[in-house]
Amino acid sequence: MTRIAPVALLLAAALALPAQAAVTFSWQQVSTSSSMPTGLNLELAFSDEAVTAGALSLDISNDCHMGPPCLDPQSSLLSMRYWFDDPYIGGQHNLIDYGYRAQPRNYYDRIVMDVTFLAGGLLGGSIFASDGNSDFQMVSEGALFSVVTANSDEPYGCGWQYPDCSGASGMLVSAAQEASEVPEPATGAIVGLGLVAAWCARRRQRPARSSA
């Protein structure tokens, strides 16, 4: 009698782990400012647990550039992308691209936020981010955010062309999306052991060759 059944159950249980849910908030422009270029983009992805909690305060600094993999002391903010689209020369300028447990894109990642998840899939509060090359700060009244300041060492976007970048307003609106969860190391070990056990069981089932 084969012993593969328990192994199959372990494998099925590992594959049935639920996917991690994430909620992404994207910038929706309401008004422009003569002291800022157009084309502002901001995307924030939060864990479902953070959104369910109703509010989030973070003050994190990720400065292990070119060093070992960074392990952020939080798992609520999964990613942040901020940039300006240039309608004339193209490309993404002043890009801040933070990823949970990812290496900083430039010198470091510094993010300070105190936000509230409002009804109707809206976000309110204050957000500051910097990667050593570009930075921005925005605050809201209710769900309407205004850019307080934005800077960059680059010539485009809120860089040399706009030295006093501020004034644009908009809302951060959510859209739920599913993000596949990377299996935990323990899960991978269980699956690996299960496959080895199944292989051994099949080897034991093979009939012995008769000698001549």
Side-chain angles (χ1 to χ4, degrees), residues 16-29:
L17 289 174
Q20 182 183 11
V23 182
T24 300
F25 289 77
S26 300
W27 177 261
Q28 303 293 328
Q29 189 91 11

Side-chain angles (χ1 to χ4, degrees), residues 90-137:
Q92 297 180 347
H93 304 294
N94 310 169
L95 176 63
I96 298 176
D97 191 358
Y98 165 80
Y100 171 57
R101 295 192 173 184
Q103 291 282 356
R105 179 175 177 269
N106 286 311
Y107 304 102
Y108 57 83
D109 292 317
R110 175 76 193 282
I111 299 173
V112 181
M113 64 170 58
D114 188 0
V115 295
T116 301
F117 301 98
L118 305 174
L122 300 174
L123 196 67
S126 61
I127 303 170
F128 167 82
S130 173
D131 67 355
N133 181 68
S134 301
D135 64 77
F136 74 91
Q137 181 180 8

Side-chain angles (χ1 to χ4, degrees), residues 37-117:
T38 58
L40 171 61
N41 293 271
L42 176 60
E43 296 175 352
L44 300 163
F46 297 94
S47 68
D48 186 60
E49 290 79 5
V51 176
T52 301
L56 176 65
S57 293
L58 280 181
D59 187 345
I60 59 174
S61 182
N62 180 1
D63 57 3
C64 55
H65 184 56
M66 301 300 291
C70 301
L71 300 180
D72 296 329
Q74 60 88 33
S75 58
S76 299
L77 177 64
L78 304 180
S79 66
M80 169 188 285
R81 282 177 55 83
Y82 159 90
W83 75 95
F84 284 91
D85 288 323
D86 194 307
Y88 303 107
I89 65 174
Q92 297 180 347
H93 304 294
N94 310 169
L95 176 63
I96 298 176
D97 191 358
Y98 165 80
Y100 171 57
R101 295 192 173 184
Q103 291 282 356
R105 179 175 177 269
N106 286 311
Y107 304 102
Y108 57 83
D109 292 317
R110 175 76 193 282
I111 299 173
V112 181
M113 64 170 58
D114 188 0
V115 295
T116 301
F117 301 98

Side-chain angles (χ1 to χ4, degrees), residues 113-184:
M113 64 170 58
D114 188 0
V115 295
T116 301
F117 301 98
L118 305 174
L122 300 174
L123 196 67
S126 61
I127 303 170
F128 167 82
S130 173
D131 67 355
N133 181 68
S134 301
D135 64 77
F136 74 91
Q137 181 180 8
M138 57 176 62
V139 297
S140 78
E141 290 187 8
L144 184 63
F145 280 90
S146 296
V147 178
V148 177
T149 183
N151 305 279
S152 180
D153 292 335
E154 301 173 10
Y156 304 106
C158 279
W160 307 344
Q161 291 181 326
Y162 292 88
D164 300 312
C165 235
S166 64
S169 64
M171 295 185 294
L172 287 164
V173 184
S174 71
Q177 65 180 16
E178 291 296 321
S180 299
E181 185 177 47
V182 177
E184 295 292 333

